[in-house]
Amino acid sequence: VVVTLPVAVFILAGFLRTLPGELYEAAELDGAGPWAAFRRVAIPLSRPSLAATAIFLFVMHWNDLLYPLLFIDDPAKRTLPLALLDFTGEYLTDYPLLFTGVVVASTPMVVAYALLQRHFVAGITAGAVKG
């Protein structure tokens, strides 16, 4: 989590900077304080960026090989990318078994994208501010 937190902050901060200031001004005129404006304006409008960040970070964590390779000693606690290394050898690689494992390993990522795609693709601030 510590490794990918800066990536999430970078993506979300970049998106929140693109929100028009007029939306916050309108919320302030309606009597909302800074936290209420953030909760009622910024969070609902940032659903697509939150979904994109969630998908991106999920893929990064799901495919992580370096840290599990360095820190996991117990074969019972190995991750999928580590288990896929068993199908490759120095002189022989079992490609059908390796590709089957890759398809099985990529299925949760495809399902996560399918569930979050409407948020991922949605245009959020179109028409929010005229002019």
Side-chain angles (χ1 to χ4, degrees), residues 43-84:
I43 296 296
L45 288 175
S46 64
R47 258 192 214 158
S49 67
L50 289 170
T53 304
I55 291 170
F56 186 68
L57 294 181
F58 178 73
V59 169
M60 283 180 67
H61 283 286
W62 189 259
N63 290 327
D64 190 19
L65 178 66
L66 178 64
Y67 290 115
L69 186 63
L70 293 174
F71 297 124
I72 295 178
D73 295 337
D74 188 10
K77 296 179 182 177
R78 294 174 55 175
T79 61
L80 261 169
L82 276 180
L84 289 175

Side-chain angles (χ1 to χ4, degrees), residues 15-129:
F15 173 77
L16 289 174
R17 283 189 190 113
T18 64
L19 289 178
E22 289 88 358
L23 294 174
Y24 294 112
E25 291 173 9
E28 186 179 335
L29 286 175
D30 288 340
W35 284 106
F38 181 73
R39 188 175 66 245
R40 293 188 181 134
V41 175
I43 296 296
L45 288 175
S46 64
R47 258 192 214 158
S49 67
L50 289 170
T53 304
I55 291 170
F56 186 68
L57 294 181
F58 178 73
V59 169
M60 283 180 67
H61 283 286
W62 189 259
N63 290 327
D64 190 19
L65 178 66
L66 178 64
Y67 290 115
L69 186 63
L70 293 174
F71 297 124
I72 295 178
D73 295 337
D74 188 10
K77 296 179 182 177
R78 294 174 55 175
T79 61
L80 261 169
L82 276 180
L84 289 175
L85 283 178
D86 287 341
F87 302 133
T88 61
E90 186 175 349
Y91 300 109
L92 180 67
T93 299
D94 190 2
Y95 285 109
L97 197 57
L98 178 64
F99 292 151
T100 303
V102 168
V103 169
V104 169
S106 64
T107 302
M109 290 183 286
V110 173
V111 169
Y113 178 76
L115 291 176
L116 295 173
Q117 81 173 3
R118 70 180 172 103
H119 299 292
F120 189 70
V121 176
I124 53 165
T125 56
V129 177

